[in-house]
Amino acid sequence: MDSQTSQSSQPSQSPHTFQVDLRGLVDLLSHHLYSSPKVYLRELLQNAVDAITARRAEQPGAPARVRLYAEAGTLRVEDTGVGLTEADVHDLLATIGRSSKRADPIADGLQEVRSDFLGQFGIGLLACFVVAERIRVVSRSARTPDAAPVEWTASDDGSYTVRTLPHEARPEPGTTVHLVARAGAGEWLTPGRVLTLARDFGSLLPYDVRVGDEAVTDLPAPWDRPYPSPAARRVALARHCHDLFGFTPLDTIGLDVPLAGIRGVAYVLPSAVSPAQRATHRVHLKGMLLTERAEQLLPDWAFFVRCVLDTDSLRPTASREALYEDETLAAVREALGEKIRSWLTGLAAGDPERLAAFLSVHHLGVKSLARHDREMLRTMLPWLPFETTDGRLSLEEFALRHPVVHFTRTVEEYRQVAPIASAQGVGVVNGGYTYDSELVEALPSVRPGTVVAELDADTVTAHLDSVDAAEELALSEFLAAARATLDAVGCDIVLRAFHPLSVPALHLDDRAARHEQARAEAEEQADDLWAGILGSLRGSAPRARLVLNHLNPLVRRISSLRDPELVGTATESLYGQALLMAQRPLRPADTALLNRSFIGLLEWATHGDSSDFDDAGESGDSGTTDDSTGGGF
């Protein structure tokens, strides 16, 4: 039994090594990891720059050159970097996923300079198979000067050969990479394309990089260059923005954050953009372009700028085409947001004209920031524009004019009450636009003593003049008929006297009333079970109301009608017109009522007895002209 146990504990067979289908892996890279074949050139530049960085860590005076030569479907890349020995070639180039920056087979004793390398994932030359069918590398080590140059040649079928060469084949340390284009990929190795890609990826690299005789690097970066004056700096950066992003900025914001290793500039967009549109930014990592579409670099509220910057602290993702979301990126995001806050504060303190020009375009972004930043709200209070019954004003100016700052939560509610409230001297802010109601409610926190109140139907009605009791009693029969007409649509009738005279009727409701209407409609259409459930949810909120203007000549004439059917049609017409004036969405019942009242008026006009209105005109204000009826009938 013991012998059986001992035998069963032994492995049945020796372990095996995974076999890699290189062509399948290249297809995976080209279709799923990398966004475009153009990244092959970034990988070549990155390897060359890292090799030079490694050599200079040991030999600070070593040459730092990268040369690219493209012709007839081939590309040659030469660098003066640290180079490779034959052992390095077998260990690094022939092992997929191995990185010379991970441990120290090639960088013995250089762990302290690892952060200076661009590459972090060891994919290296494998990306070149996206455009090349064959790669040939000739290298000579700077660490082992006596070692012979070594040649590594690989094909996209997964095979490779290694051989040593005579010393004269590579007299100086460094590496040369030769690519031969695969079928259909020759355009990626043309001189013009190589130069364009090299400048795009490597314009900020710290070494001498050239394609043939054409310089690739353009240092110092535009934001690091000295300028004779601030105006000259703005002009130069505006030109850089136009060349890079295609627009001339409203302004530029410096983004230097030395502690985070950030240097760059933010360009303010000249036209408004939607907050839902994700801003994309251009990020270089140690001089090498990482991505043109970094989305998470700035806070969400800063959607009105486009950035270009260089960093040595942020981590790239595996494809090196995006930023890795970690604590460092979160800290950088907050630091860059603070730079933009400081710029806004500086404009408010010293350049109100530029601030006004900025806010006329991008007030939405500043409002988004001010929601969560009370200090920014306090700073921007005299400048942020709001739609009010007094015109377009800042909250600061509006609060100085009105002891109570009334506001509505929706644009529809504001349209309902704005003309009437303005005529009654009640100040109202339209809080229906993005962020506005939140900012109005936050007003007392930055302006102590300010009274803020949401405007509802009861408040509006309370500001309207009551009608003399005797007059309202005389119209009781008309009011009863009007109430019966609108009961089906859940609306009450109220008689008031208000200005302007041209408004015959005002439709008022609030959110509670609309919720109750929606519940009642759902109850009518539901089966017995759901009707019972919805019935139990019935609220006690007041219903919507149609406020008739007793000062309006048309309303006075309608209130004197004797025909109950005509009274109902006229009341429905006033209700429909009030809904349309408020620009409220129409329910199916409202649409049916509008159609019914329109047809009823046409039938009365073509077949009815005009004596009803003639007699009513005698008891009303017969001396009023048609224009004073406010667009009635």
Side-chain angles (χ1 to χ4, degrees):
M1 188 71 175
D2 291 338
S3 61
Q4 291 179 353
T5 303
S6 176
Q7 291 176 1
S8 64
S9 65
Q10 300 298 320
S12 59
Q13 50 185 307
S14 59
H16 297 280
T17 302
F18 282 108
Q19 301 299 310
V20 176
D21 180 356
L22 186 57
R23 285 179 175 168
L25 186 56
V26 169
D27 181 72
L28 180 67
L29 290 174
S30 60
H31 289 93
H32 299 283
L33 183 62
Y34 295 130
S35 62
S36 167
K38 68 180 182 181
V39 298
Y40 87 92
L41 194 66
R42 184 194 63 199
E43 295 292 342
L44 289 173
L45 287 176
Q46 175 179 290
N47 287 342
V49 169
D50 283 345
I52 294 173
T53 300
R55 183 178 180 184
R56 281 203 153 188
E58 291 183 338
Q59 305 172 19
R65 297 188 306 270
V66 181
R67 297 290 184 266
L68 298 91
Y69 304 94
E71 57 179 330
T74 65
L75 176 65
R76 184 172 85 255
V77 182
E78 300 177 354
D79 69 64
T80 58
V82 70
L84 302 171
T85 64
E86 183 177 0
D88 296 332
V89 166
H90 284 289
D91 190 39
L92 301 175
L93 298 186
T95 305
I96 293 174
R98 179 69 60 84
S99 172
S100 64
K101 276 77 73 175
R102 284 187 181 176
D104 52 359
I106 189 174
D108 293 332
L110 300 180
Q111 193 67 23
E112 68 274 10
V113 298
R114 181 180 183 274
S115 62
D116 291 331
F117 293 121
L118 298 174
Q120 301 288 327
F121 297 92
I123 295 173
L125 287 174
L126 192 62
C128 294
F129 281 119
V130 174
V131 298
E133 66 177 9
R134 188 170 69 255
I135 302 174
R136 176 171 167 257
V137 178
V138 177
S139 186
R140 183 169 183 173
S141 174
R143 292 203 183 89
T144 313
D146 295 336
V150 61
E151 177 190 72
W152 177 83
T153 304
S155 299
D156 60 0
D157 61 2
S159 63
Y160 72 93
T161 61
V162 179
R163 67 184 179 122
T164 57
L165 302 176
H167 285 275
E168 57 269 18
R170 178 83 198 194
E172 298 295 330
T175 300
T176 301
V177 179
H178 303 261
L179 301 186
V180 177
R182 65 192 306 133
E187 64 169 316
W188 293 103
L189 273 63
T190 59
R193 179 62 68 90
V194 169
L195 178 59
T196 299
L197 293 179
R199 283 177 172 167
D200 200 34
F201 284 118
S203 63
L204 301 183
L205 289 174
Y207 304 133
D208 179 14
V209 182
R210 296 177 181 270
V211 176
D213 295 328
E214 298 285 342
V216 168
T217 54
D218 186 19
L219 296 175
W223 50 85
D224 287 333
R225 296 172 189 169
Y227 296 97
S229 66
R233 174 183 171 83
R234 281 199 296 269
V235 170
L237 290 179
R239 187 183 305 113
H240 175 252
C241 175
H242 189 274
D243 293 341
L244 204 61
F245 294 117
F247 66 85
T248 300
L250 277 179
D251 208 345
T252 59
I253 308 169
L255 296 181
D256 290 352
V257 186
L259 292 178
I262 300 289
R263 301 166 308 282
V265 63
Y267 294 117
V268 181
L269 292 167
S271 57
V273 293
S274 168
Q277 179 179 333
R278 298 303 300 268
T280 56
H281 310 287
R282 188 179 175 92
V283 178
H284 296 256
L285 179 61
K286 302 180 181 71
M288 181 75 75
L289 178 66
L290 180 70
T291 179
E292 299 174 282
R293 300 184 299 276
E295 294 185 347
Q296 67 273 48
L297 187 64
L298 295 181
D300 290 340
W301 55 262
F303 54 82
F304 50 84
V305 298
R306 295 292 180 272
C307 296
V308 54
L309 54 83
D310 188 23
T311 175
D312 57 20
S313 63
L314 300 178
R315 291 175 56 195
T317 58
S319 67
R320 291 192 287 279
E321 294 185 293
L323 296 172
Y324 186 79
E325 185 70 48
D326 58 9
E327 293 181 358
T328 302
L329 179 57
V332 166
R333 184 186 301 123
E334 179 60 32
L336 296 181
E338 186 57 38
K339 285 288 184 180
I340 299 175
R341 284 189 187 94
S342 299
W343 170 77
L344 285 170
T345 304
L347 287 186
D351 201 339
E353 290 185 3
R354 285 172 63 197
L355 178 63
F358 166 76
L359 289 177
S360 67
V361 179
H362 295 299
H363 57 272
L364 202 58
V366 180
K367 286 181 178 180
S368 175
L369 169 60
R371 286 185 307 154
H372 308 293
D373 189 327
R374 289 293 178 262
E375 190 57 38
M376 181 56 63
L377 176 58
R378 184 178 291 106
T379 301
M380 292 290 113
L381 202 57
W383 309 103
L384 287 174
F386 289 79
E387 182 180 358
T388 77
T389 49
D390 291 352
R392 199 160 182 80
L393 300 175
S394 69
L395 287 181
E396 175 74 18
E397 185 174 356
F398 188 81
L400 290 173
R401 296 185 181 187
H402 299 278
V404 178
V405 178
H406 290 97
F407 72 98
T408 63
R409 291 192 181 275
T410 68
V411 175
E412 290 79 8
E413 290 173 353
Y414 178 79
R415 289 169 178 165
Q416 277 183 306
V417 303
I420 308 304
S422 179
Q424 308 305 312
V426 179
V428 184
V429 178
N430 184 356
Y433 295 114
T434 307
Y435 311 134
D436 283 9
S437 61
E438 296 176 67
L439 294 176
V440 175
E441 288 182 299
L443 190 56
S445 67
V446 296
R447 195 178 188 276
T450 303
V451 179
V452 172
E454 182 177 355
L455 191 67
D456 55 21
D458 289 334
T459 303
V460 177
T461 305
H463 280 83
L464 304 180
D465 295 334
S466 299
V467 177
D468 181 77
E471 290 189 59
E472 187 166 1
L473 181 62
L475 297 175
S476 59
E477 185 176 346
F478 160 75
L479 293 174
R483 290 189 178 105
T485 299
L486 297 186
D487 185 66
V489 291
C491 185
D492 287 333
I493 293 289
V494 177
L495 186 65
R496 291 288 187 274
F498 56 87
H499 292 273
L501 299 180
S502 59
V503 178
L506 176 66
H507 182 270
L508 293 178
D509 64 0
D510 52 29
R511 282 173 296 165
R514 289 194 293 276
H515 291 165
E516 177 59 22
Q517 285 180 343
R519 187 210 57 79
E521 290 176 0
E523 182 180 357
E524 291 178 0
Q525 300 172 7
D527 56 27
D528 292 342
L529 173 61
W530 282 108
I533 294 174
L534 292 169
S536 67
L537 299 176
R538 182 177 293 110
S540 58
R543 301 198 300 175
R545 65 201 72 174
L546 182 68
V547 184
L548 301 181
N549 187 0
H550 188 56
L551 300 181
N552 181 266
L554 176 61
V555 172
R556 295 171 69 90
R557 293 168 64 188
I558 291 175
S559 65
S560 300
L561 292 174
R562 296 188 297 271
D563 184 350
E565 183 176 350
L566 189 54
V567 168
T569 300
T571 301
E572 289 180 337
S573 299
L574 290 174
Y575 173 80
Q577 186 218 28
L579 282 181
L580 295 176
M581 291 296 292
Q583 301 182 44
R584 296 297 305 276
L586 299 180
R587 300 170 297 162
D590 297 329
T591 302
L593 179 146
L594 277 171
N595 291 334
R596 184 171 61 249
S597 63
F598 180 71
I599 296 300
L601 288 176
L602 286 178
E603 289 181 348
W604 173 86
T606 54
H607 301 292
D609 183 359
S610 61
S611 61
D612 283 327
F613 266 125
D614 290 341
D615 293 344
E618 293 177 1
S619 60
D621 188 359
S622 59
T624 305
T625 64
D626 290 341
D627 289 341
S628 66
T629 61
F633 306 102

